[in-house]
Each structure stands twice: as C-alpha cells, then as structure tokens.
Amino acid sequence: MERRKFIKTGFGALSSLAVGETILLTPTDAQAWFWSKPKKNEVYGQRKQVRRANGKGRLANDYSKAKIVKGVCLNCSTVCGIQGYVIDGRLVKVGGNPEDPNNGKSLCAKGQAGPLINTYADRLLFPLKRVGARGQGKWMRITWDEAHSAIADRMRKAIDEGKPEEIAIQIGRSRLAEEMGRFLNAVGSPSLFNHRALCSSNKRAANYVSLGETDWESGDFANSKYMIDFGANVYEAHQGAIHAAKRIIKGRFDNGAKFVYFAVRMSNTAGRADEWFMPNPGSDGAIALAMGQAIIAANRHDRQWLDTWSNVKADDLKQWISQYTSEWAEQVSGVPAADIRRIALEFAAAAPAAVAFTNRGSGAHYNGFNNDRAVIMLNAIVGSIGRKGGYCYTVEPTRVPPLVFPQPMPRPPAPTAKSTIEDPPEWPLANKWQRMKVGQIVYQYYDLYAWELKPDELTDTRVDGNTRIIYRKSADGRESMVGLMAEGKARRGFLTPSRKFSIYHEDIEAAAKQTGFTEDGQAGMPAYFQIPTFQTMKSEHLHLATFKWNVHTQGRTQSQKYLSEIVHHNPMWINTETAARYGIKTGDMVELTTCRPSGHQMRNGGDLLGKALIPAWVTEGIHPRVLAVSNTLGNPWHGRAATGMNGPKQVIPAWDNSVNDEDADLDDDIWWDRARGGTGAGYNINAILPIQPSPLVGMQGWYDTICTLKKA
C-alpha cells in the first residue's frame, strides 16, 4: 500500500485531515499490515526520542504539585465521585473522592482510565460528513460552521413544514437531559431519546408499578442477612457496581449474610456467591413466584404487612399464587424444586433483613417486566420493603433542589406536538413512569411509606371512607392524594393509585387490553408466561446471550488503551457437553446464525437474521443450551487501541499536539495485535441481534435471541 494513499485512508490521518479531504474510517487488511510492520518509521523514532529527551516520556508525576479538582465520573452510568489531579494544565490521574458517601476512595479501572479520553492520539477533533454510501465508512472533514449550518437547515425545514417532532436528540448517558430538553422545547419537539429500552426499562417500570416513585432500588446490603440476586451480576455490571459490591461484602462478612445467585453464566458474581444456579433463560419470574408460594404455604409470610400495605390481601394472594408451585417452577426453570423451596424458607427466616433484586439477566426478556415484578413482590411477601437490611429505595427529596442550578429565563414552553416515535402507542407503558434518577445520591430510607404526616400536611384534607386515601383539594377544585390512613394514623404511603404497594395494577391491565396483548392471561398481576420464541425452538436451536465486562462500558471504552489491555478478547462461551456434541474445542472458529423473534407485534418470527464468525471457548461455566459473547469488543474503527493495531500515527505534524500528542503505546506496545500473534481486539455480534421489544414496556429482549451453531 502506498504511503501517500495510507495517509488519506488510515487512522493515522485523523489528526491532520484538511477541510474537504476524505477519510475511510473502516480499516482494511492493507492498513492492518502496514501498521503491524515490525520496523518502525525512522522519522517517528527520532521524534519519540526527542520527546522523551524533553521530559514528555514515561516519567513519574510529582503529585505534590498537582491541583485537585473534584467532580463525577461519566465513564459509566454509576456516576462515582472523583477527584482529578491536574499538573501543568493536564489531567494526569483520576481517583475516588473520599467525600463521596458511596464509593469514597474506591474507583474502578474504568474511572481511573478517564484521562485517556482526553489524550487519545486517534481522537476525533472535528466534524465529519458522510460522502460515500451508508456503511462504506467514507467521510469528509468539514468546518464547524458547515456542520452547524447543515443541521440547522434540516431543522428549519421540519419546523416550516409543521413537523417539529421530527427533530430528535439521542442522549444516551450524557447527563444533559435537562439542557437537551430545553433546546427541544424551544423548537417545539418532544422527541428526546435515550438508551433506556436497551438497558433497564423493564426493571424501572416494575419498580414504578410496585412502589410508585423510584426507578432503581438500593438494597440495604450492608445490613442484610440474606441476598438473592436474579441476573444482576452485581460484582461486575450492576447499576452502582462498586457501591453495591462494597455493601454486599460488608453484609456478608460483618453480618454473615448468605448470597444466592441465579444466572446462566459463571461470572465474578457467580464465583463469589454461596450458591449459584443456572436457570433456563427467562425463568427468573417463575422461580420468584414459586418462592413466594412456598413461603405463604409454610405460613412464613408477613400477613400483617400484606394486609396493611399491599393492594392484594394476604388471603387473596395465597389463593392466586397457589398455582405457582416449586415443582411447576422446576419444570420451567430447571432448578430443583427442593432448592427453590429451601432457599425461599431461608429467605423468609432472615426477613425483614432480606433482599431479592434484579437487573438485565431477569429483565432483558420478553417477559422481563413481570419477572422483575415477581422478584419485587417476593420482598413484599416477607415484609422487607423499605426495612433495614431489605429492599430499600430513594425518594424525591434527595434530588438536588432546582434553586442550586437555576434555569436561565425565559424558559421555553413545553411542546404541543406529539411524537409517535418518542411515545409509541404499541408500547403504552414505555414512558408512563420513566424518569431518570439513577445518578442521584442514594440514602436508605427505612419504612418511608409508614412515615406519619405532619399537621401542616393534613390541612384542608379529607379521608375517603372506602379506600382510606387522604386527599387535598387545590384552588382549582382538583384533588390530589397526600397519604393513607393506616394503622390508625395518617401516613405517607406509596405513590401508587391505591397508595399501597401494588401487586395488582389496573394500568397494566388497561394497557394489555389497549394493545391486544393476550399472552399474559392474568394482566395486572405479576403472572409468569413463556417467551413465544422459546416455545418454537427446535432441537438445533440455542440461546445466545451477551454480557458486560467489568472494565468496559458497552463498546465505548475500547479506545482507552489500559482497559483494552485488560480485556481485549471475547470468544464465544459454550458448555463442555454442547461443544462435544458439535465437535468444537477451544479456539475453533464457529459460525453463529441468529433468527428473528416471535411474539406480540413481531413479524417474520423464525426467519434468519444474520451470521457471524467467532472463536469458541469451551467451559462448564455456562448453561448447556446457552452461548454467550460479550457486547463490548470488536470495534471496527476508533483508532489503534480500539482495533488492536500497532503503528505510527503519521510522519507529518499532528493537527494539534497539545490536545492529542502521539502515544508510544499505540505505536509499538499493543501486544495483542493479531499481526504480532495476539488475539486481536475481539468480536462484535451486535449487528446480528434482533430488535425484539417486550410487550407493553418495550424493552429489548436481548437475552431472548436464538441461533444455530456450526463449526466453521
């Protein structure tokens, strides 16, 4: 490959690309060969020697001269408190903030890799415009003025045509929702999108339905005596992983708490659990319901709590849940009935200092909404909701008051336009309860629902004779709920329609009728129903699951070289017995073929979707009918660290060396480069995962993917 042509098409051109020049962001075999040549460029070698002679090489930092700047880490959604060390105007280190009540001085590898975001030598520093066909990877550098004008012209066209809702912003985890919302309000669009449907909407919706006011619980693990984790992988990828893991460790070693884990794959969490079970995918709700049934049948439930604080009385719940026996759950989940019953009674014996919790392992399924509701209900059955050592949650007053960061005036009005993309009628519960409160400081509020209302909170109120709900009439004549008469006193209650913990919820039943969703024959209750795609699986079909590494945040951190050095290879996990049946051994290349899902409002179920080649890793640490591939690696662009290819950036001076000077590690120290005999930068199968939103809420059922497998 000619040197001149490489400059125009390789990653080395990123920092010197002139306005109007084009670049190919997708690497080719020729580029990989060039970058991996063992002989270094002489000019670059001379520059590196000069840079080291000038003291810009690998010299220890003098932290006594560092200025400490406190902030929060955004390298994942946990938002830990951090403090940065700045020397000569450059961020050289990030550590935990000892004043943070959650993580304190602790900080994971992702947080400590933060400075690499600023200094990455292949970082894009200017706007690019696609000039080739979609997917071709060909882009042209343009000016910021050109970029702003191009976007503004298209926005103006939508506004002039009376379609402001067609202006949309996708923010992900940017923490700029308020600013972006204000901007969209100014142009009249409600279309502010985030990644919640890919992440946690089933879990959040389940909490809102049950509790009425929070989208993420915080188990009081430090004070717990018994913890059951349904697919949360709390030691690696749970929301607030460091915070939760530290408190779980404290609870286990200070309190002697038992930790039980249900998940299809051997993770760090499974390895640290007292007991680990591999249930069939999507069966978490069945296990939780059977545990609830076993507890009630043994009369180990908290009858008084249910009769006082649940909208389904204890006797009614006993009758309804009687169908979900441990023997039935064994047939559904593969977990022995004796173990389900034993763990259930152990859990009840430890209550109220007992907590059962969830995450994507239970929620990222077609039936994930009900899976998570069943697990939350398990806490209610033993009376551990909001109790010390139990299933706790935060509350609105813990949010930062608006006066701390006042909005500039005048504020634009809320848009009147409607967006079927932002609020799709097919999934009526997608936005009903969803608000972002994950990043706020978490306090453990015990018995929040039982707080007594103060006299000034009861001014101009009345008590409904039937429901015992306390109402206050406003100046416009409308009434709002302020509490509940319970145990002879005016109390706060839950922020649900009944002001009680909701086992049954009328909004769910109404949404099911609205959309014609009939697979859940007991709409409104956290009933278990099978995943349609699984019901049609043939003997040759396997489940395909994805997972996160504890040192990566989806695919966005692969450009941070220290993190990719720790984890850069992601073979497909396959059970030993399954591998033997296919004649596969570790290192063999295999071909995965995925299929489209079946179910409510899904079309073409069973049709082939896509194929991928990936090496196998044979292990006993995975369910026999499940394959697993991490979703964090295999980035085909984003520079040398992300793609695992050595080589100099380029000979000519960088676009702005003060911002992104060359990095010697990227030149010659990527030891996992395939051309050097390494494993490469991994594989990414996201492109062959089907879109499969769950009913009512619309969260993607990533863990419902089915596939076929053959040795390549």
Side-chain angles (χ1 to χ4, degrees), residues 163-321:
K163 301 176 182 178
E165 69 278 6
E166 294 185 358
I167 302 170
I169 295 179
Q170 166 72 41
I171 60 172
R173 288 286 192 194
S174 71
R175 302 291 166 184
L176 294 174
E178 192 164 313
E179 290 78 5
M180 297 297 100
R182 180 188 176 96
F183 174 79
L184 287 174
N185 287 349
V187 301
S189 173
S191 302
L192 180 61
F193 304 145
N194 57 45
H195 77 299
R196 190 176 296 124
L198 309 180
C199 175
S200 61
S201 56
N202 274 340
K203 179 180 180 66
R204 294 167 187 262
N207 265 332
Y208 275 120
V209 164
S210 304
L211 304 169
E213 61 184 320
T214 182
D215 61 1
W216 212 280
E217 85 291 341
S218 177
D220 187 16
F221 304 122
N223 295 304
S224 185
K225 293 289 187 180
Y226 209 101
M227 295 169 267
I228 306 179
D229 180 341
F230 287 89
N233 195 6
V234 70
Y235 279 91
E236 290 186 322
H238 186 61
Q239 199 76 25
I242 285 185
H243 319 338
K246 287 173 65 175
R247 291 168 181 152
I248 286 175
I249 292 169
K250 181 177 177 62
R252 295 184 69 197
F253 290 94
D254 291 354
N255 291 341
K258 185 171 182 178
F259 184 75
V260 179
Y261 185 47
F262 291 92
V264 298
R265 182 185 65 90
M266 168 63 105
S267 62
N268 280 311
T269 305
R272 286 161 175 76
D274 295 294
E275 294 190 61
W276 166 51
F277 296 89
M278 288 190 292
N280 294 330
S283 64
D284 306 80
I287 297 169
L289 289 169
M291 286 185 175
Q293 189 275 339
I295 292 170
I296 294 176
N299 200 30
R300 300 301 303 272
H301 58 299
D302 193 331
R303 171 183 291 274
Q304 182 178 354
W305 194 94
L306 289 169
D307 285 343
T308 303
W309 291 110
S310 168
N311 70 345
V312 176
K313 300 295 184 183
D315 287 342
D316 294 332
L317 180 59
K318 180 178 182 178
Q319 181 178 354
W320 175 80
I321 207 171

Side-chain angles (χ1 to χ4, degrees), residues 53 57 82 94 122 212 308 404 441 551 580 606:
I82 58 174
V94 170
D122 293 336
T308 303
V404 176
I441 295 174
V551 299

Side-chain angles (χ1 to χ4, degrees), residues 31-39 644-647 673-676:
Q31 293 167 18
W33 173 83
F34 177 87
W35 273 350
S36 303
K37 289 174 65 177
K39 183 178 180 180
M645 289 189 256
N646 285 287
D673 187 334
R674 243 189 219 105
R676 302 281 180 88

Side-chain angles (χ1 to χ4, degrees), residues 9-12 14 23-28 31 35 75 116-125 128 137 139 552-561 564 632-645 660 666 670 672 681:
T9 60
F11 283 117
L14 283 177
I23 188 170
L24 188 66
L25 289 182
T26 304
T28 65
Q31 293 167 18
W35 273 350
N75 226 1
L116 302 178
I117 299 172
N118 292 339
T119 61
Y120 187 37
D122 293 336
R123 170 185 168 196
L124 284 173
L125 296 170
L128 301 175
W139 299 79
H552 280 296
T553 303
Q554 286 88 29
R556 81 184 200 206
T557 53
Q558 202 175 358
S559 61
Q560 297 168 36
K561 61 183 181 183
S564 281
T632 51
L633 302 177
N635 203 320
W637 45 76
H638 212 329
R640 291 162 287 174
T643 57
M645 289 189 256
N660 61 348
L666 304 180
I670 302 178
W672 58 96

